[in-house]
């Protein structure tokens, strides 16, 4: 998701303990150095759910209320 998406900001702050722009900078560094591949960017929770459901091995993050698909497994991070 974009750096300014509220879900992305909350995920970065509460689960990764960094700001969203710091995560983007880390990915940019890996991509531009040729040592990593950027994650697929989505524009909405619905798009995230669809992408995770249709991509084998994919992981993503969503608001709990947005998970309405039995094609994905839910892991809770505490």
């Amino acid at each position: 998701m974009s750096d300014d998406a509220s879900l992305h900001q909350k995920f970065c702050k509460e689960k990764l303990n960094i700001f969203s722009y710091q995560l983007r900078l880390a990915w940019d560094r890996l991509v531009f150095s040729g040592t990593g591949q950027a994650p697929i960017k989505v524009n909405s929770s619905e798009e995230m759910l669809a992408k995770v459901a249709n991509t084998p091995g994919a992981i993503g993050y969503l608001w709990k209320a947005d998970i309405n698909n039995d094609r994905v497994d839910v892991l809770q991070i505490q």
Side-chain angles (χ1 to χ4, degrees), residues 26-44:
W27 275 113
D28 288 349
R29 196 173 317 116
L30 291 171
V31 170
F32 294 133
S33 69
T35 59
Q37 184 176 359
I40 297 170
K41 191 173 183 180
V42 296
N43 296 314
S44 67

Side-chain angles (χ1 to χ4, degrees), residues 8 13 16 19 26-27 30 33 35 37-41 43 49-50 53 56-57 60-62 64 67 70 76:
H8 183 65
K13 270 187 148 178
L16 303 178
F19 292 104
W27 275 113
L30 291 171
S33 69
T35 59
Q37 184 176 359
I40 297 170
K41 191 173 183 180
N43 296 314
L49 182 62
Y61 51 90
L62 293 166
K64 195 174 199 175
I67 303 170
D70 57 356
Q76 293 199 17

Side-chain angles (χ1 to χ4, degrees), residues 44-55 62 69 71-72:
S44 67
S45 293
E46 295 81 15
E47 192 177 345
M48 177 78 77
L49 182 62
K51 187 62 78 175
V52 170
N54 294 314
T55 306
L62 293 166
N69 186 324
R71 294 180 49 208
V72 298

